[in-house]
């Protein structure tokens, strides 16, 4: 009888610290997330949840500690962080949609520039992800024409269009 293989670790955080001046926001965080797991960080405003996510994707430089994503230590100064980020989707609290671009363009730009997909392939993928989040038929809308919830779903579709191995959400219920 064979035993199921243990899912691989996709996030490994060891001894993470982050300070802003004398304000230590993260103190010795240790966390492992395995493939297929869903982990939610819950805490009051200002407790460091967003800072932790920003450190994971190296949008904030940790003060000390190690972070490994999908087998690559992102806190190693020699890591190709852009390569690692191609496998990590992130949906920001403010969504960061391009206001001057329609929904379809928002969902295809990174696919075309980072993944080098053709316009046709990027649009096919984007349309499928928009349908998945309930926004089929809204491809030509501008972000300002959408509700906050719809904008968030565009941001999710945009991230999913990149076929990430790992998704990070900052304030997913806001």
């Amino acid at each position: 009888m064979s035993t199921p293989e243990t899912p691989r670790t996709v996030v490994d955080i060891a001894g993470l610290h982050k300070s802003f001046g004398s304000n230590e926001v993260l103190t010795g965080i240790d966390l492992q997330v395995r493939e297929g797991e869903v982990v939610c960080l819950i805490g009051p405003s200002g407790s460091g949840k967003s800072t932790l996510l920003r450190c994971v994707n190296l949008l904030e430089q940790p003060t000390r500690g190690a972070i490994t994503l999908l087998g690559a230590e992102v806190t190693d100064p020699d890591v190709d962080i852009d390569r690692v980020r191609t496998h990590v989707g992130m949906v920001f609290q403010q969504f960061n949609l391009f206001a001057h671009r329609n929904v379809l363009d928002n969902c295809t730009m990174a696919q075309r520039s980072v993944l080098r997909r053709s316009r046709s392939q990027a649009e096919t993928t984007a349309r499928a992800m928009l349908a998945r989040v309930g926004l089929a038929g809204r491809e030509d809308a501008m972000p300002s024409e959408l509700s906050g919830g719809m904008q968030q779903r565009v941001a999710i579709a945009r991230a999913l269009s990149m076929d990430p191995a790992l998704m990070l959400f900052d304030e997913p219920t806001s």
Side-chain angles (χ1 to χ4, degrees), residues 70 85-90 115 117 129 156-168:
L70 307 165
R85 284 183 183 142
T86 64
H87 304 288
V88 179
M90 184 155 181
L115 301 180
R117 289 183 177 158
M129 293 304 110
I156 293 168
R158 176 180 61 190
L160 290 174
S161 292
M162 298 295 289
D163 301 322
L166 173 66
M167 285 287 295
L168 305 172

Side-chain angles (χ1 to χ4, degrees), residues 85-113:
R85 284 183 183 142
T86 64
H87 304 288
V88 179
M90 184 155 181
V91 179
F92 295 90
Q93 186 173 355
Q94 300 301 323
F95 317 134
N96 294 344
L97 298 177
F98 293 100
H100 65 290
R101 302 278 188 163
N102 68 25
V103 166
L104 189 61
D105 286 346
N106 266 281
C107 292
T108 58
M109 288 173 53
Q111 291 184 69
R112 294 181 64 214
S113 64

